[in-house]
């Protein structure tokens, strides 16, 4: 932020304080004379009014991303990377407990290997980026940049796996991938390059592979619900929507009430033996007989962060769950008239130290060239879960004012045992954010049993749960009939937690006997 700006201090008398927020505007811009001009904070779009523009403003004004000169590519700023690291610090130790090892494979893959698994690469073909030149010279053979790493890794699985004692082989890498060909890029949700983890494992039996698929999926549920405070549904993808070349795909599915769209949050695939056949990943079993391995792959990406922003953000900006926020508590001094500013600042610093000593991520904003009101807006924009204000009255009463970001509630807390009280508030904020998000999501779920009900619910941006005959042609027909400017409806997943399906229930789309309940809707 620009320094040396003269602003009026926010004044406070007794228990009252002036909290006027500066008018919404763009970040500081240069005037004609070349000096930076102070502008206010805030959003020019609302979440309900123009969701797309609101989202773009939130992720940029909240200092999560910066737009890059190449379309669909984004700079991930420290505020974002802190969230990514926190998720990594949860997930990586959990998979290490499962004896999954960290590795790293090259970014590049040859066309020969890429084309080896036809069904798989067909799903990615339009998105593959190619390196065709080196300096001023054309390459004799173009090299692809990985859109995912099955074809990069599995030739080496074939080399490393010889006998049953080499199994299971369980690897994970934290890396980036590139998927180039698409329209309407959206930060985090749909970008040309993104960060992710990708696990690739091989087993002697299908039972082992099936077990791991669900263990990993449960970690993804925990990541969303326990850390990002976003409710998800665990389920299985349809044959049409499963991972190309795989046996079956499971996923955790989120939902954005404001847009009425589902989001595939993370996926855990059982690849079966298809890749083993193509890449000759064979082993000698305990009986001395030749067998093929069973494989899985699973991943979550920086898309998780976009889902969190969409679910929790409001018209003031980001709202971050305490578990993943880089700063959990921001402490702001509130000067008044001839009060001893240094004493107030010292109290702020002491408060930060006390909180940090308890493992709470706290910082003080002691800048004097910005008013407290401006700083309130700034840290609200960045989504910090809890704000602590300290002024002369607070010092006199040996207390602080605590303000929650999620619901705006305010409470005066005594300095004594402040750390434990703040810990309790942060835990309550985390749980409350999840509960509120789940309540909003659940209010959007609409059970439909006929085509007319389905179309009506789709028009109302609902997450639709409908009985389905589980036939691919019927799903294709639903997609074709609902295709429009805002996209077609499709299956999101068939939940593992299946409601009762009474005998004689018919498919909402075909009128044939229904086999399962499935979530449908438009999606990102």
């Amino acid at each position: 932020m620009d320094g040396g700006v003269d602003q009026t201090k926010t004044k406070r008398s007794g228990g009252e304080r002036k909290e006027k927020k500066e008018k919404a505007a763009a970040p500081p811009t240069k005037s004609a004379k070349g000096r930076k001009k102070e502008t206010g904070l805030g959003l020019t779009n609302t979440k309900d009014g123009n969701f797309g523009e609101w989202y773009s403003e939130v992720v940029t004004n909240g200092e999560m991303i910066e737009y890059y000169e190449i379309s669909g590519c984004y700079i991930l700023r420290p505020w974002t990377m802190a969230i990514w690291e926190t998720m990594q610090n949860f997930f990586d130790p959990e998979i290490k407990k499962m004896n999954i090892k960290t590795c790293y494979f090259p970014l590049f893959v040859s066309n020969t290997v890429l084309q080896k698994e036809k069904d798989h690469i067909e799903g990615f073909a339009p998105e593959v980026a190619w390196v065709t030149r080196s300096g001023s010279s054309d390459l004799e053979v173009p090299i692809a940049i990985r859109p995912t790493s099955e074809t990069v890794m599995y030739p080496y699985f074939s080399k490393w796996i010889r006998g049953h004692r080499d199994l299971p082989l369980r690897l994970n890498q934290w890396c980036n991938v590139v998927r180039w060909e698409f329209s309407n890029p959206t930060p985090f949700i749909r970008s040309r390059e993104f960060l992710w983890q990708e696990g690739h494992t091989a087993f002697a039996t299908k039972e082992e592979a099936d077990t791991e698929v669900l263990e990993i999926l449960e970690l993804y549920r925990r990541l969303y619900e326990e850390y990002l405070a976003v409710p998800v549904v665990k389920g299985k993808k349809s044959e049409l929507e499963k991972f190309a070349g795989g046996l079956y795909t499971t996923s955790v599915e989120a939902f954005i009430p404001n847009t009425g769209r589902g989001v595939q949050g993370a996926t855990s695939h059982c690849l079966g033996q298809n890749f083993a056949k193509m890449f000759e990943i064979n082993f000698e079993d305990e009986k001395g007989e030749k067998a093929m391995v069973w494989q899985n792959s699973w991943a979550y990406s920086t898309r998780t962060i976009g889902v969190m922003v969409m679910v929790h953000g409001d018209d003031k900006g980001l709202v971050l769950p305490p578990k993943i926020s880089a700063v959990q508590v921001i402490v702001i001094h509130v000067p008044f008239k001839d009060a001893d500013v240094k004493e107030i600042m010292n109290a702020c610093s002491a408060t930060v130290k006390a909180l940090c000593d308890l493992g709470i991520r706290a910082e003080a904003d002691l800048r004097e060239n910005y008013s407290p009101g401006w700083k309130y807006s700034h840290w609200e924009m960045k989504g910090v879960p809890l704000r602590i204000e300290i002024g002369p009255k607070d010092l006199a009463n040996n207390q602080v004012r605590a303000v929650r970001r999620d619901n705006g509630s305010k409470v005066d807390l005594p300095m004594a045992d402040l750390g434990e009280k703040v810990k309790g508030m942060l835990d309550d904020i985390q749980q409350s954010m999840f509960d509120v998000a789940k309540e909003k999501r659940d209010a959007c779920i609409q059970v439909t049993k006929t085509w007319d009900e389905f179309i009506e619910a789709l028009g109302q941006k609902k997450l639709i749960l409908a009985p389905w005959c589980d036939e691919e042609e019927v799903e294709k027909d639903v997609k074709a009939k609902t295709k429009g400017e805002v996209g077609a409806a499709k299956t999101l997943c068939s939940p593992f937690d299946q409601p009762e399906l009474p005998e004689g229930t018919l498919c909402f789309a075909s009128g044939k006997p229904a086999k399962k309940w499935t979530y449908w809707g438009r999606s990102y």
Side-chain angles (χ1 to χ4, degrees), residues 6 156 235 265 300 357 380 424 464 497 512:
D6 182 28
Y156 300 90
Y300 78 86
D357 287 346
E380 283 174 350
I464 302 166
D497 187 10
K512 298 177 182 179

Short mmCIF file of all heavy atoms in Angstrom, two decimals, residues 6 156 235 265 300 357 380 424 464 497 512:
data_model
loop_
_atom_site.label_atom_id
_atom_site.label_comp_id
_atom_site.label_asym_id
_atom_site.label_seq_id
_atom_site.Cartn_x
_atom_site.Cartn_y
_atom_site.Cartn_z
N ASP A 6 -2.33 11.17 4.01
CA ASP A 6 -2.98 11.77 5.17
C ASP A 6 -4.45 11.38 5.17
O ASP A 6 -5.19 11.70 4.25
CB ASP A 6 -2.83 13.29 5.10
CG ASP A 6 -3.46 13.95 6.32
OD1 ASP A 6 -3.50 13.29 7.37
OD2 ASP A 6 -3.88 15.11 6.19
N TYR A 156 7.44 -46.48 -16.79
CA TYR A 156 8.44 -46.76 -15.75
C TYR A 156 7.89 -47.69 -14.67
O TYR A 156 8.65 -48.43 -14.04
CB TYR A 156 8.99 -45.44 -15.19
CG TYR A 156 9.64 -44.67 -16.31
CD1 TYR A 156 8.90 -43.76 -17.07
CD2 TYR A 156 10.95 -44.93 -16.70
CE1 TYR A 156 9.46 -43.11 -18.16
CE2 TYR A 156 11.52 -44.29 -17.79
CZ TYR A 156 10.76 -43.38 -18.52
OH TYR A 156 11.32 -42.76 -19.61
N GLY A 235 -19.60 -39.68 -4.19
CA GLY A 235 -20.37 -40.54 -5.07
C GLY A 235 -19.56 -41.05 -6.24
O GLY A 235 -18.35 -40.83 -6.34
N GLY A 265 -15.19 -31.52 -7.16
CA GLY A 265 -14.20 -31.01 -6.22
C GLY A 265 -12.87 -31.72 -6.25
O GLY A 265 -11.81 -31.10 -6.11
N TYR A 300 -6.41 -33.72 -6.42
CA TYR A 300 -7.14 -32.48 -6.18
C TYR A 300 -6.24 -31.33 -6.60
O TYR A 300 -5.01 -31.47 -6.61
CB TYR A 300 -7.62 -32.33 -4.73
CG TYR A 300 -6.58 -31.89 -3.73
CD1 TYR A 300 -6.31 -30.54 -3.51
CD2 TYR A 300 -5.88 -32.82 -2.96
CE1 TYR A 300 -5.36 -30.13 -2.58
CE2 TYR A 300 -4.93 -32.42 -2.02
CZ TYR A 300 -4.68 -31.08 -1.83
OH TYR A 300 -3.75 -30.68 -0.92
N ASP A 357 2.10 -17.12 20.52
CA ASP A 357 2.69 -18.09 21.45
C ASP A 357 1.77 -19.29 21.67
O ASP A 357 2.22 -20.37 22.06
CB ASP A 357 3.01 -17.43 22.80
CG ASP A 357 4.22 -16.50 22.73
OD1 ASP A 357 4.96 -16.59 21.72
OD2 ASP A 357 4.41 -15.70 23.66
N GLU A 380 -11.22 -7.10 5.89
CA GLU A 380 -12.47 -7.79 5.54
C GLU A 380 -12.40 -8.27 4.10
O GLU A 380 -12.84 -9.39 3.79
CB GLU A 380 -13.67 -6.84 5.72
CG GLU A 380 -14.09 -6.65 7.16
CD GLU A 380 -15.19 -5.62 7.33
OE1 GLU A 380 -15.51 -4.91 6.37
OE2 GLU A 380 -15.71 -5.52 8.46
N GLY A 424 -11.38 -20.44 21.03
CA GLY A 424 -12.76 -20.89 21.02
C GLY A 424 -13.58 -20.21 19.94
O GLY A 424 -14.40 -20.85 19.26
N ILE A 464 -30.34 -31.15 -8.37
CA ILE A 464 -31.47 -32.05 -8.58
C ILE A 464 -31.10 -33.49 -8.26
O ILE A 464 -30.10 -34.01 -8.76
CB ILE A 464 -31.96 -31.95 -10.05
CG1 ILE A 464 -32.36 -30.50 -10.36
CG2 ILE A 464 -33.12 -32.90 -10.29
CD1 ILE A 464 -32.54 -30.22 -11.84
N ASP A 497 -24.42 -42.55 -0.41
CA ASP A 497 -25.51 -42.56 0.55
C ASP A 497 -26.83 -42.47 -0.22
O ASP A 497 -27.38 -41.38 -0.43
CB ASP A 497 -25.35 -41.38 1.52
CG ASP A 497 -26.36 -41.43 2.66
OD1 ASP A 497 -27.04 -42.47 2.80
OD2 ASP A 497 -26.47 -40.43 3.39
N LYS A 512 -38.29 -45.68 -17.86
CA LYS A 512 -37.89 -47.07 -17.59
C LYS A 512 -37.70 -47.25 -16.09
O LYS A 512 -37.58 -46.27 -15.35
CB LYS A 512 -36.59 -47.39 -18.33
CG LYS A 512 -36.69 -47.27 -19.85
CD LYS A 512 -35.33 -47.52 -20.50
CE LYS A 512 -35.39 -47.36 -22.01
NZ LYS A 512 -34.07 -47.57 -22.65
#
